[in-house]
C-alpha cells in the first residue's frame, strides 16, 4: 500500500525565513564584527537588579502559577500609568494587554483585524517581522516610502484618493527599524485624521521610543486618535529574555486578542511579569538605567555615523542616528550590497543588505547598520573593514 504524505497549510507556501535571522548564523564567527544584528547590548542589561527582583518574586508561590490571559494585574496597572503619561489621557487597565514580546501582539492583532486579502499599508523599507506576520495572515501588502520625516503620509493620501481602503496601516514611528528615522509630529496628526476619515486602524509599533539621544520622541500617534493601537516591550530597555511586551487598544480589541491568546499559550509568565513590575516601579533606578543605555548607544551611534561619513565621503549617505539602534546607509555609486556582502564577511564585517527590507523598491545599494553591540573603536574598525571590502 502506497503512503500518502499529509499536507501542510497552503498559507505556508509564500512564507520565507527572515533574512536577518539567517544572516546571524553567518556572523557568529569571532573574527566578524557584526553590524547586522538588531540586538540590545547584553552587557548593559541589569542582571543583578533582575536577579534581586526574581528572588523577591519567588517569595510568593503564586508567581509559579498560571496568571490571567491579559497579564499580571499589577503589571497592567503600571503600564496603564506609563502609557497615560505618554498619550496625555487616562488609559484604563482594561485597554492594556500583556503579550509574549510585542511580536506576539502584532501576530495576534493580525488575526483579529485582518481577513485574508485585506489591505495592509506598511513603510518601505519595512520592519521584517511585520512583513512576516502580515504575509502569514494572507494580507495584501502595499508600501509607502519613508523620507527623513518618516512615513510619506502624502503618498498614503494618494493611495486613498485612488480608492484603496486599508484595514491597517503599520508604522514604526520612532527611530525606525530599519530606516532610522522618526515620524514627524505633523505627519502623526495627519495620519490619525486619515484613519478616522477612512475607518482604518493604525498599529504604532514603538519598541525604541525610550532610546532617544538628544531629545525625547514626539507624542505618540495614540495621542491623536483612539484608532491607534500601540505596541511596545521591555526588551530594549531591560532584557529580551523577559519576553514582556504589551499593546494598548480599545477594550473590544483586547477582548478579541484575549480569545486568541487563550488558544495560543493560555497566558504569559507570572514570574517575568512580576519581575518587570518590580523594575518598572523602581522609578529612580529605572530612569538612571535607561539614561545609561541612551548615553552608551548615543556615543556608539555618533561614532558609527562619523566613521561612515569620514571614510566613504560622498560615496555613501546615511541617516543621523538620533535614537534607537540603527543607521540606514546608501551607496550613491550603485554598489550592490547583496553582492558586496561575501567580501565584507571575508574582510570581517557584516551588515544587512537593504533588499531584506524591501517591499516595492529593491534597495539594492542600501544597508542597515546596527551600532548597539560594539564599542566606538570597534565600530570604527568595522567601517574600515567595510571600506576595504568595497574597494576590493
Amino acid at each position: 500500500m502506497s503512503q500518502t504524505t499529509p499536507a501542510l497549510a497552503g498559507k505556508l507556501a509564500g512564507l520565507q525565513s527572515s533574512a536577518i535571522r539567517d544572516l546571524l548564523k553567518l556572523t557568529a564567527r569571532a573574527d566578524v564584527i557584526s553590524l547586522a544584528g538588531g540586538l540590545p547590548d547584553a552587557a548593559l542589561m541589569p542582571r543583578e537588579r533582575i536577579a534581586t527582583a526574581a528572588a523577591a518574586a519567588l517569595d510568593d508561590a503564586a508567581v509559579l502559577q498560571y496568571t490571567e490571559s491579559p497579564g499580571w494585574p499589577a503589571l497592567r496597572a503600571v503600564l496603564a500609568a506609563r502609557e497615560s503619561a505618554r498619550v496625555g489621557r487616562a488609559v484604563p487597565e482594561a485597554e492594556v494587554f500583556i503579550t509574549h514580546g510585542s511580536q506576539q501582539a502584532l501576530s495576534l492583532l493580525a488575526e483579529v483585524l485582518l481577513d485574508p486579502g485585506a489591505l495592509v499599508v506598511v513603510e518601505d523599507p519595512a520592519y521584517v517581522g511585520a512583513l512576516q506576520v502580515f504575509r502569514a495572515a494572507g494580507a495584501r501588502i502595499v508600501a509607502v516610502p519613508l523620507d527623513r520625516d518618516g512615513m510619506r503620509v502624502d503618498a498614503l493620501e494618494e493611495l486613498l484618493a485612488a480608492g484603496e481602503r486599508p484595514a491597517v496601516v503599520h508604522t514604526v514611528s520612532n527611530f525606525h527599524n530599519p530606516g532610522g528615522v522618526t515620524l514627524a509630529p505633523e505627519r502623526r496628526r495627519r495620519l490619525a485624521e486619515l484613519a478616522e476619515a477612512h475607518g482604518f486602524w493604525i498599529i504604532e509599533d514603538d519598541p525604541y521610543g525610550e532610546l532617544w539621544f538628544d531629545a525625547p520622541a514626539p507624542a505618540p500617534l495614540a495621542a491623536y486618535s483612539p484608532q491607534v493601537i500601540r505596541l511596545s516591550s521591555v526588551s530594549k530597555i531591560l532584557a529580551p529574555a523577559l519576553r514582556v511586551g504589551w499593546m494598548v487598544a480599545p477594550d473590544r480589541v483586547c477582548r478579541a486578542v484575549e480569545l486568541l491568546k487563550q488558544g495560543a499559550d493560555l497566558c504569559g509568565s507570572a514570574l517575568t511579569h512580576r519581575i518587570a513590575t518590580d523594575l518598572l516601579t523602581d522609578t529612580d533606578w529605572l530612569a538612571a538605567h535607561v539614561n545609561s543605555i541612551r548615553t552608551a548607544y548615543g556615543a556608539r551611534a555618533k561614532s558609527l555615523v562619523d566613521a561612515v561619513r569620514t571614510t566613504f565621503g560622498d560615496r555613501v549617505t546615511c541617516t543621523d542616528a538620533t535614537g534607537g539602534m540603527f543607521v540606514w546607509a546608501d551607496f550613491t555609486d550603485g554598489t550592490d550590497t547583496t553582492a558586496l556582502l561575501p567580501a565584507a564577511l571575508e574582510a570581517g564585517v557584516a551588515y544587512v543588505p537593504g533588499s531584506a527590507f524591501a517591499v516595492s523598491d529593491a534597495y539594492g545599494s542600501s544597508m542597515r547598520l546596527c551600532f548597539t553591540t560594539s564599542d566606538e573603536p570597534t565600530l570604527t574598525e568595522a567601517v574600515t573593514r567595510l571600506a576595504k571590502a568595497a574597494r576590493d
Side-chain angles (χ1 to χ4, degrees), residues 212-292:
W212 50 267
F213 304 150
D214 302 317
L221 269 158
Y224 299 103
S225 173
Q227 288 174 213
V228 178
I229 300 172
R230 269 182 56 76
L231 309 184
S232 193
S233 81
V234 302
S235 293
K236 308 305 187 293
I237 62 169
L238 295 177
L242 293 175
R243 306 313 300 135
V244 172
W246 61 89
M247 70 174 190
V248 180
D251 182 69
R252 65 190 180 101
V253 175
C254 289
R255 302 291 71 80
V257 167
E258 183 174 359
L259 292 176
L260 291 175
K261 185 171 173 61
Q262 288 171 350
D265 63 4
L266 296 180
C267 64
S269 164
L271 176 58
T272 60
H273 289 190
R274 179 73 170 264
I275 293 169
T277 303
D278 188 333
L279 273 59
L280 292 174
T281 53
D282 190 352
T283 53
D284 290 343
W285 170 84
L286 181 65
H289 168 68
V290 174
N291 190 59
S292 70

Side-chain angles (χ1 to χ4, degrees), residues 20 23-29 31-37 304 337 340-353 367-371 373-374 378-379 381-383 385-386 389:
I20 301 170
L23 180 60
L24 291 179
K25 300 173 187 176
L26 301 176
T27 61
R29 293 178 3 219
D31 61 327
V32 173
I33 301 172
S34 180
L35 307 178
L304 177 61
T337 54
L340 176 62
L341 184 58
L345 290 168
E346 184 64 25
V349 63
Y351 57 83
V352 184
M367 54 189 169
R368 190 193 74 176
L369 310 175
C370 180
F371 50 77
T373 53
S374 297
T378 304
L379 291 166
E381 172 61 21
V383 175
R385 295 182 185 186
L386 181 59

Side-chain angles (χ1 to χ4, degrees), residues 136-153:
R140 181 169 67 93
I141 300 173
V142 173
V144 296
L146 292 170
D147 63 18
R148 61 184 298 173
D149 289 323
M151 176 188 283
R152 287 268 312 280
V153 177

Side-chain angles (χ1 to χ4, degrees), residues 66-72 76 96-99 104 108 255 257-259 261-263 265-268 273:
Y66 293 106
T67 188
E68 299 175 15
S69 295
W72 186 268
R76 293 168 61 206
V96 177
F97 197 99
I98 314 300
T99 54
Q104 187 190 51
L108 293 172
R255 302 291 71 80
V257 167
E258 183 174 359
L259 292 176
K261 185 171 173 61
Q262 288 171 350
D265 63 4
L266 296 180
C267 64
H273 289 190

Side-chain angles (χ1 to χ4, degrees), residues 150-211:
M151 176 188 283
R152 287 268 312 280
V153 177
D154 63 316
L156 173 61
E157 290 193 71
E158 291 174 4
L159 287 175
L160 295 169
E164 293 282 22
R165 291 295 176 263
V168 166
V169 172
H170 177 268
T171 176
V172 181
S173 54
N174 295 319
F175 317 121
H176 190 271
N177 177 12
V181 296
T182 293
L183 186 63
E186 59 273 17
R187 293 190 182 182
R188 296 175 187 232
R189 183 179 295 104
R190 182 57 181 152
L191 179 55
E193 291 172 351
L194 292 173
E196 296 190 356
H198 295 277
F200 58 81
W201 294 102
I202 300 169
I203 298 179
E204 181 181 22
D205 219 339
D206 186 23
Y208 310 106
E210 293 193 63
L211 299 181

Side-chain angles (χ1 to χ4, degrees), residues 268-337:
S269 164
L271 176 58
T272 60
H273 289 190
R274 179 73 170 264
I275 293 169
T277 303
D278 188 333
L279 273 59
L280 292 174
T281 53
D282 190 352
T283 53
D284 290 343
W285 170 84
L286 181 65
H289 168 68
V290 174
N291 190 59
S292 70
I293 298 174
R294 292 184 189 127
T295 300
Y297 286 177
R300 295 172 190 182
K302 183 178 186 303
S303 179
L304 177 61
V305 169
D306 288 349
V308 168
R309 290 173 176 168
T310 300
T311 303
F312 285 95
D314 293 340
R315 189 182 178 191
V316 173
T317 62
C318 67
T319 54
D320 292 309
T322 58
M325 298 169 58
F326 306 106
V327 168
W328 183 259
D330 297 286
F331 279 93
T332 59
D333 60 1
T335 295
D336 186 327
T337 54

